[in-house]
Amino acid sequence: MALTLNNRSRNKESSLTQALRQIQQLNSKIQELEQQHLSYVQKQQNLISAIAEICVSPMQEIEALRILIYRGEAACRQYLRSVLVKQGQASKMTTGQMEKPTLSKRAKNRGFLQNSKK
């Protein structure tokens, strides 16, 4: 009878030890997931700030947020890059137009005539 009680207590002890080990593993996994979640939230907040800074119109902001929600972070970053490129091209066009003096009709005709003689 003492041997049976001894085995039962050992089985309970090993079961408790296994349960404690599993609890520790789960706690470790929970901490890891919490850290990943915090990192994810921080990235999303940074991305939302970037959307607010980069997008000029409310429609661009809405589109960027839609892309973020439905297609993910990478697609949203790609969209923001395309918005930046378009803004860069637009600013080059406006500064290029301001910097280039308009040609008079005579100068335009002279250029046309010189090109046609060649």
Side-chain angles (χ1 to χ4, degrees), residues 41-59:
V41 168
Q42 185 64 41
K43 284 181 183 178
Q44 297 302 309
Q45 288 173 343
N46 292 341
L47 196 53
I48 290 170
S49 297
I51 289 170
E53 288 176 24
I54 293 170
C55 295
V56 178
S57 71
M59 289 306 293

Side-chain angles (χ1 to χ4, degrees), residues 1-115:
M1 183 154 160
L3 185 61
T4 319
L5 287 175
N6 214 1
N7 282 341
R8 283 184 189 166
S9 64
R10 282 186 192 156
N11 287 340
K12 284 182 183 179
E13 191 175 315
S14 66
S15 296
L16 286 175
T17 305
Q18 286 176 349
L20 283 173
R21 190 177 313 114
Q22 288 175 341
I23 289 171
Q24 289 171 341
Q25 289 172 347
L26 288 173
N27 284 335
S28 175
K29 188 65 176 174
I30 288 170
Q31 287 176 343
E32 181 183 335
L33 291 172
E34 284 175 344
Q35 186 59 42
Q36 289 175 357
H37 176 70
L38 289 174
S39 175
Y40 172 79
V41 168
Q42 185 64 41
K43 284 181 183 178
Q44 297 302 309
Q45 288 173 343
N46 292 341
L47 196 53
I48 290 170
S49 297
I51 289 170
E53 288 176 24
I54 293 170
C55 295
V56 178
S57 71
M59 289 306 293
Q60 284 179 334
E61 287 186 29
I62 291 168
E63 183 64 20
L65 290 171
R66 257 191 210 134
I67 291 170
L68 176 62
I69 291 167
Y70 294 111
R71 293 178 30 208
E73 181 183 342
C76 183
R77 289 185 186 281
Q78 183 178 6
Y79 173 76
L80 291 176
R81 280 191 292 274
S82 73
V83 168
L84 284 172
V85 167
K86 287 176 187 174
Q87 288 174 356
Q89 289 171 347
S91 69
K92 283 180 185 177
M93 286 179 63
T94 56
T95 56
Q97 288 173 350
M98 291 180 355
E99 291 173 4
K100 291 181 182 176
T102 57
L103 296 174
S104 66
K105 286 184 179 181
R106 182 180 285 169
K108 284 182 184 178
N109 290 336
R110 193 179 318 128
F112 175 75
L113 292 173
Q114 287 175 350
N115 290 337

